[in-house]
Amino acid sequence: MAKKMKAWITTIRQLFSSEELTRLARKVGFIQRQRSLTAEAFLTLCAWGDGSLACQSLQRLCADLALWHDCSLSNEGLNQRFTPRAVAFLKEVFFTLLMHQRPALSSIIETYRACFTRLRILDSTSFLLPADYGEDYQGSVSSGAKIQFEYELLSGTCLQLCVQQANDSDARFAYHTQHTILPNDLCIRDLGFFSLATLAEIDARGAYYITRLRSDIKVYIKQDGEWHEWDWESIGNRLGEGEAVEVEHVYIGHQRLYVPRLIFRRLTAEEWEKRLAYVRKKEKKKGKALSRQTLEQKKYHILLTNLPQESFDAQQVYEL
């Protein structure tokens, strides 16, 4: 444990200087004057890699602070530090780290702010729970929970934070939160949140979306005045690694939902190896292999968007 904690403290210091953390803490009022509990010590305590914060007593946490940061603090003194200002400090750290990891964001974020009300990124994560929680939190195999989190990139705020059962549908969650979408919002969604009804509602609200296309959804394009099913395999065979082609004015699904733009890109060899490893892992977990056609289609990255073609490169925005 001591070796892991030393490594974690080293990692924190590689990412942030003590001065930078203090500046962020003062910015939100978490630190207003010199105290024994430093911003670095509090961050190390809250972000400790084994995720044990919620399981530890205040007495144990105070002992850790004394051992690793030479910080003498009473149980009640530490308890009083968990405030909205502490949350604001951790949010500042998260946003700053995001900027450090993706420098391109800081250079284009002002451009996005001028064009969109909000830039919404919705994702989820699932994890197993002890069997005792099975009555309240069910998973596909055993007890499990899922966290739904929607982050607004332009302001750095949390829009949605919800704990569900692990087997609850991502697409259903997205559908039931669509009333929060405002005109000129840009909603970025991964494959699990794909829903024709949600895309139609986003468009009806005067907002924008970028989402991946589910492999079982048919695409129709107009040729010689008639609508035909899109032959993605034929187009894909003509693309080299990393090459992309854009198709305008398509309809998808049996309801023939209109989508202004479809971006079809062939994965590079490295990207395909990573995706294939993920697919095999999912197949093993579910005990069911994908069909050849579905597996072939996963060699491609297919995005749908209603962004005007002249405004932004949808592929670039999605990858950011």
Side-chain angles (χ1 to χ4, degrees):
M1 182 63 73
K3 187 175 182 180
K4 290 183 179 179
M5 178 57 85
K6 287 181 180 178
W8 179 241
I9 294 174
T10 300
T11 300
I12 292 291
R13 289 173 178 171
Q14 287 173 344
L15 295 171
F16 300 99
S17 67
S18 177
E19 292 76 17
E20 184 177 17
L21 289 175
T22 300
R23 179 183 62 79
L24 294 175
R26 291 187 183 279
K27 176 182 176 182
V28 298
F30 176 63
I31 290 181
Q32 296 178 336
R33 58 184 181 272
Q34 191 68 32
R35 291 180 178 271
S36 60
L37 180 62
T38 65
E40 179 186 291
F42 186 76
L43 175 62
T44 303
L45 190 71
C46 293
W48 166 231
D50 67 353
S52 63
L53 177 66
C55 304
Q56 301 296 334
S57 66
L58 287 170
Q59 184 176 4
R60 172 61 188 275
L61 295 175
C62 288
D64 287 343
L65 287 172
L67 177 62
W68 298 109
H69 298 280
D70 195 24
C71 172
S72 178
L73 201 64
S74 68
N75 295 353
E76 183 56 27
L78 177 58
N79 185 49
Q80 291 179 2
R81 302 303 287 160
F82 291 99
T83 64
R85 290 179 178 177
V87 175
F89 166 61
L90 294 176
K91 287 171 65 176
E92 284 291 327
V93 170
F94 172 78
F95 192 70
T96 303
L97 181 58
L98 184 64
M99 293 297 107
H100 283 341
Q101 291 181 328
R102 306 306 297 267
L105 283 175
S106 58
S107 64
I108 61 177
I109 199 167
E110 289 303 320
T111 304
Y112 289 160
R113 187 174 284 122
C115 299
F116 304 117
T117 306
R118 294 176 295 185
L119 204 160
R120 311 170 58 136
I121 304 171
L122 177 61
D123 206 354
S124 68
T125 183
S126 300
F127 49 91
L128 297 176
L129 291 174
D132 297 346
Y133 293 87
E135 186 175 340
D136 297 316
Y137 292 98
Q138 298 178 5
S140 55
V141 178
S142 60
S143 304
K146 175 184 289 186
I147 296 176
Q148 298 283 0
F149 178 64
E150 187 169 25
Y151 184 72
E152 204 287 286
L153 182 63
L154 302 183
S155 64
T157 58
C158 170
L159 299 180
Q160 312 284 345
L161 183 61
C162 177
V163 179
Q164 300 179 309
Q165 297 187 126
N167 58 3
D168 284 343
S169 166
D170 287 343
R172 189 178 299 115
F173 177 83
Y175 181 77
H176 287 304
T177 60
Q178 62 189 6
H179 66 279
T180 66
I181 296 172
L182 301 176
N184 288 325
D185 278 359
L186 173 58
C187 305
I188 300 178
R189 305 281 171 81
D190 205 353
L191 198 57
F193 296 93
F194 185 86
S195 163
L196 296 177
T198 300
L199 295 185
E201 181 67 20
I202 292 173
D203 193 65
R205 288 176 174 272
Y208 302 101
Y209 60 79
I210 304 175
T211 183
R212 287 179 60 190
L213 175 68
R214 224 170 56 205
S215 59
D216 61 330
I217 301 296
K218 294 185 182 297
V219 178
Y220 301 90
I221 61 175
K222 203 167 191 178
Q223 294 176 334
D224 301 324
E226 296 183 358
W227 290 99
H228 300 275
E229 186 176 341
W230 182 51
D231 184 8
W232 61 266
E233 195 168 9
S234 175
I235 296 177
N237 289 334
R238 298 198 297 267
L239 293 177
E241 288 186 17
E243 288 186 344
V245 63
E246 183 165 325
V247 183
E248 295 182 352
H249 311 303
V250 302
Y251 285 81
I252 60 173
H254 297 300
Q255 299 97 327
R256 298 293 200 275
L257 174 68
Y258 173 69
V259 177
R261 298 168 61 192
L262 180 150
I263 298 97
F264 184 70
R265 185 176 71 88
R266 183 171 187 144
L267 300 180
T268 64
E270 182 179 358
E271 290 172 329
W272 171 234
E273 285 181 10
K274 290 181 180 179
R275 180 173 289 185
L276 185 60
Y278 175 77
V279 168
R280 295 305 187 200
K281 184 178 180 180
K282 295 274 286 187
E283 287 179 331
K284 185 177 180 180
K285 184 177 180 181
K286 294 183 177 181
K288 182 180 179 182
L290 296 177
S291 67
R292 186 202 66 83
Q293 184 180 14
T294 301
L295 194 59
E296 281 294 313
Q297 192 166 352
K298 288 189 177 295
K299 291 181 179 179
Y300 306 96
H301 200 69
I302 308 174
L303 293 180
L304 302 174
T305 182
N306 63 343
L307 278 174
Q309 189 173 24
E310 65 277 3
S311 58
F312 289 99
D313 183 336
Q315 179 74 35
Q316 181 188 46
V317 176
Y318 185 86
E319 290 177 353
L320 282 171

